[in-house]
Amino acid sequence: MFAFKRTAVQLAKAKLHRYTHTLALLETNGAKLTPGSLSTITAAKAINKPITALLVGPDAKEAASEVATFAGIDKVLIQSDERYAHYLPEQVSPLVVSLLKDEYTSFVVPASSVGKGVLPRAAALLDFQPLSDVTKVIDSATFVRPTYAGNAILTVKSTDPIVMTSIRSSAFPPAEEKRSDAAPVEEIAPVEEIAPVDTDCKTVWVREELMKSDKPDLASAKIVVSGGRALKDKTTFEKLLNPLAEKLGAAIGASRAAVDAGYCDNSLQVGQTGKIIAPDLYIGIGISGAIQHLAGMKDSRVIVAINKDEEAPIFKVADVGIVGDIYEIVPELTEKL
Amino acid sequence: MSTKIKILVPVKRVIDAALKPRINKAKNGVETVGVKYSINPFDDIAVEEACKMKKTYKGMVEAVHAVSIGPSKAQETLRTALAKGVDTSTLVDVGDEEVEPLVVSKILKELVEREGSNLVVLGKQAIDDDSNQVGQMLAGLLGWSQATNAAKISIGKDGVVEVEREIDGGIEVVKAPLPMVISTDLRLNEPKFVTLPKMMKAKKKPLEIIKADDLKVEIKKRLETISLEEPAPRKAGVIVKDVDELISKLKDLKAI
């Protein structure tokens, strides 16, 4: 009896020692990884264990060959079943759970709509407490994440055997480094199929309406021009912001007030409840700077505020501020750039 | 649809959204003394939506039950929900200790089963820990469908719920038969203020107080707080007087 127990413990230990991989659920848009997924690879590398990338949906196969060439990626798993086409958490979570059961000690997803839907569901099925919106990796169990709308920075250590995290894309640069050509051919990641998993949930995807835009993606843009309540209406918003954004090759963002007033689509909202961004340059136009908005942009490298109210809280975080009429300043700035 | 809809609305008592929280001296939490608390704004939207459903789907929705897991002061949060039109409520008194989302989900699962709920409507995230997890975890534990970040909810005569969800880049529509967990986004509705007479009436509505032990859920922490700190302050900026100066400053900063 005693001997048997020892063997079991030794076996368990051997297994733990052997299986210390990170599973990264990466999202694709067509055959390309999303910008959030590229940042997730960077975060996964910081965990410092071999990374297995998981790609699901009809585009998985096409995306796999590129994913396999990223430095740090040890293996790529693809599951191209049609059922994963829209990343329904009811379908994706059981798949993640079935994979996590034996091989991994870390799991990462981008903190995107998809990641936020899947991560907690999968974690609950495994009885683990996940960590949302990680902005820094300390070690494989210890992470930094903002709380209270970014007003408090929490360093937290997980005691779960598999540490499950979602990665805030603005906090990690997108992965660029590819595997060296000099590496032996065997090292190129094997791509293998895994069996689909059934669930009882009868959730059906009906349709989506994505905002069409020829501008850079808000979440990953280098420059963001953002408008607030002071823009008066949709026409003014577009007339004032579009030329400036075009000149700078910038994405357009908005405060919640502007979105609620119907000046622009809600997918442009920057803040605690919208997108969290950290571009090189953020220009806030007619935005007062409520804490909920600041939570979404205060990690930008350079912040410019244009506002007629010199008491506006946005001037407290702005590197460069200009007090005055946005209808005079913005066209002049557009012209002189 | 033969079975009636019984809605459960979890609500959380949080530091008021307009306040900037201060880190305590021990650097393991925020100052709580003398701070104004309110219902989590997303939960306020959830309460509003549940009460709206009761009116819109008269005869289909049987009852709305609110739940809060927190200190005994969370009774105030439940009273607010009752004043907004919720029928009955339960406080799971866990003291002042912050309870992790996994445990909250387990407690909610027990309450869903006890109340016979088949629809849970809750906020997409609490504005204190910003986790955005409980709805999804609860759906997972129950094996129910989930629709997070709801911007519009409609229930068909056949009991199939269609939800418009806010996603990166736009809107997605999903549908599922009950039972289901739905988390609310900001644009779902605009919660109304509570009037004093309604607040008075709410004092007579049922508010049951129980402990996590009564539901046989163990409160155990999986996460250990190493530190809680203020974010690094940004360097003081400059105010420029005109556009030319703005442009030259941006060039100095290599921003353009």
Side-chain angles (χ1 to χ4, degrees):
Chain A
M1 183 72 187
F2 181 65
F4 170 76
K5 265 189 183 167
R6 265 184 73 143
T7 317
V9 169
Q10 277 166 350
L11 272 175
K13 272 189 180 164
K15 195 172 172 182
L16 268 177
H17 184 70
R18 206 169 132 205
Y19 299 116
T20 52
H21 286 232
T22 297
L23 183 70
L25 172 65
L26 303 177
E27 234 181 302
T28 56
N29 185 0
K32 284 257 164 237
L33 283 183
T34 59
S37 297
L38 293 171
S39 299
T40 301
I41 294 179
T42 306
K45 277 165 79 177
I47 294 173
N48 212 8
K49 292 174 192 169
I51 305 163
T52 300
L54 171 63
L55 299 170
V56 302
D59 299 323
K61 254 185 197 145
E62 240 189 301
S65 52
E66 198 206 343
V67 174
T69 64
F70 277 101
I73 304 278
D74 194 50
K75 189 168 162 186
V76 180
L77 299 174
I78 65 166
Q79 175 42 258
S80 43
D81 195 285
E82 192 62 38
R83 82 181 70 203
Y84 303 115
H86 303 288
Y87 295 97
L88 284 179
E90 292 85 334
Q91 300 288 350
V92 180
S93 305
L95 178 69
V96 167
V97 168
S98 73
L99 288 169
L100 286 176
K101 271 192 174 142
D102 35 45
E103 289 198 27
Y104 304 94
T105 46
S106 304
F107 175 68
V108 291
V109 288
S112 59
S113 304
V114 167
K116 285 175 179 171
V118 171
L119 174 80
R121 190 174 178 108
L125 293 172
L126 288 161
D127 196 30
F128 297 144
Q129 173 57 53
L131 294 166
S132 299
D133 258 320
V134 161
T135 53
K136 200 173 165 191
V137 178
I138 307 286
D139 61 46
S140 59
T142 317
F143 295 84
V144 175
R145 57 176 300 263
T147 56
Y148 294 93
N151 285 301
I153 307 299
L154 173 68
T155 304
V156 66
K157 188 176 178 192
S158 171
T159 57
D160 283 333
I162 302 178
V163 185
M164 302 179 72
T165 53
S166 67
I167 302 301
R168 178 174 288 193
S169 62
S170 64
F172 296 89
E176 283 172 4
E177 195 193 339
K178 297 287 176 105
R179 286 167 162 262
S180 153
D181 285 333
V185 179
E186 305 87 83
E187 272 192 40
I188 289 176
V191 174
E192 58 187 55
E193 295 252 355
I194 47 175
V197 181
D198 274 305
T199 82
D200 297 331
C201 280
K202 295 179 177 65
T203 318
V204 176
W205 182 88
V206 181
R207 63 172 195 278
E208 67 184 6
E209 295 155 28
L210 296 182
M211 210 196 51
K212 287 185 189 73
S213 173
D214 44 6
K215 297 196 178 65
D217 173 55
L218 175 60
S220 54
K222 294 254 181 271
I223 303 179
V224 172
V225 171
S226 201
R229 197 198 302 271
L231 275 300
K232 283 190 190 131
D233 56 39
K234 193 172 193 296
T235 320
T236 317
F237 186 91
E238 287 169 1
K239 231 162 95 188
L240 203 69
L241 263 52
N242 281 351
L244 178 61
E246 218 157 281
K247 199 104 182 223
L248 289 165
I252 287 188
S255 69
R256 191 191 159 202
V259 171
D260 281 353
Y263 303 172
C264 62
D265 191 86
N266 64 35
S267 60
L268 299 188
Q269 187 185 315
V270 172
Q272 183 187 23
T273 55
K275 296 248 164 35
I276 315 277
I277 58 170
D280 272 354
L281 173 62
Y282 170 95
I283 305 179
I285 297 164
I287 289 178
S288 64
I291 56 173
Q292 291 87 347
H293 184 75
L294 299 184
M297 44 61 76
K298 67 185 166 62
D299 291 325
S300 306
R301 188 172 72 82
V302 175
I303 297 172
V304 172
I306 308 174
N307 205 302
K308 68 170 184 209
D309 175 14
E310 60 185 302
E311 301 289 315
I314 194 157
F315 285 117
K316 291 207 180 83
V317 300
D319 301 282
V320 192
I322 178 162
V323 181
D325 185 353
I326 55 171
Y327 298 104
E328 286 168 19
I329 294 167
V330 176
E332 190 189 338
L333 176 63
T334 307
E335 202 196 302
K336 286 183 172 167
L337 276 170
Chain B
M1 201 178 110
S2 53
T3 48
K4 292 224 171 176
I5 303 173
K6 289 185 87 174
I7 306 176
L8 189 88
V9 190
V11 293
K12 187 176 185 183
R13 174 182 183 263
V14 298
I15 291 182
D16 193 90
L19 298 180
K20 190 178 169 173
R22 289 179 187 285
I23 311 287
N24 66 15
K25 283 201 186 84
K27 290 202 168 190
N28 57 9
V30 294
E31 288 289 353
T32 53
V33 180
V35 172
K36 185 189 174 196
Y37 280 80
S38 302
I39 182 170
N40 178 42
F42 293 102
D43 301 344
D44 202 11
I45 293 170
V47 168
E48 181 79 23
E49 193 66 16
C51 296
K52 231 170 85 183
M53 280 177 181
K54 216 172 73 177
K55 283 182 197 150
T56 314
Y57 304 102
K58 235 182 181 157
M60 275 176 94
V61 176
E62 191 179 305
V64 181
H65 186 83
V67 177
S68 196
I69 300 162
S72 68
K73 278 188 176 160
Q75 284 181 64
E76 294 162 21
T77 313
L78 286 172
R79 288 285 172 217
T80 309
L82 290 165
K84 282 168 180 267
V86 165
D87 302 302
T88 51
S89 65
T90 304
L91 169 67
V92 183
D93 192 336
V94 292
D96 289 326
E97 196 70 24
E98 183 69 19
V99 183
E100 291 170 3
L102 179 63
V103 176
V104 169
S105 311
K106 288 177 181 174
I107 293 174
L108 290 176
K109 177 177 181 270
E110 294 302 317
L111 286 164
V112 160
E113 282 161 5
R114 203 188 64 163
E115 296 294 317
S117 318
N118 52 2
L119 176 61
V120 176
V121 184
L122 78 174
K124 74 163 179 183
Q125 78 188 58
I127 60 160
D128 49 7
D129 79 339
D130 283 333
S131 281
N132 190 338
Q133 294 174 351
V134 170
Q136 298 89 307
M137 296 184 107
L138 177 61
L141 292 177
L142 289 163
W144 291 7
S145 290
Q146 71 183 54
T148 52
N149 300 51
K152 197 177 166 191
I153 305 169
S154 40
I155 308 175
K157 286 206 169 64
D158 53 359
V160 173
V161 185
E162 190 170 283
V163 181
E164 210 175 278
R165 306 180 53 229
E166 292 190 16
I167 58 164
D168 301 337
I171 291 284
E172 175 186 79
V173 181
V174 293
K175 63 177 183 185
L178 292 173
M180 190 176 190
V181 176
I182 301 176
S183 81
T184 62
D185 217 320
L186 276 175
R187 266 162 296 280
L188 182 60
N189 62 48
E190 275 201 39
K192 287 188 268 305
F193 284 102
V194 182
T195 58
L196 190 63
K198 281 188 176 161
M199 205 64 201
M200 298 306 288
K201 258 193 212 158
K203 288 191 175 161
K204 293 188 187 112
K205 286 190 174 179
L207 196 163
E208 162 206 37
I209 300 174
I210 59 170
K211 300 261 179 210
D213 277 357
D214 301 335
L215 298 166
K216 305 206 164 39
V217 178
E218 190 193 358
I219 298 182
K220 203 179 149 197
K221 272 195 181 299
R222 305 292 186 87
L223 306 176
E224 183 192 329
T225 296
I226 307 290
S227 69
L228 192 72
E229 284 167 52
E230 300 259 359
R234 290 185 74 96
K235 268 196 203 130
V238 293
I239 297 287
V240 296
K241 60 180 189 316
D242 57 28
V243 170
D244 292 325
E245 204 186 325
L246 172 64
I247 291 173
S248 76
K249 192 78 204 160
L250 287 180
K251 281 182 178 154
D252 289 350
L253 291 166
K254 294 191 167 49
I256 50 170

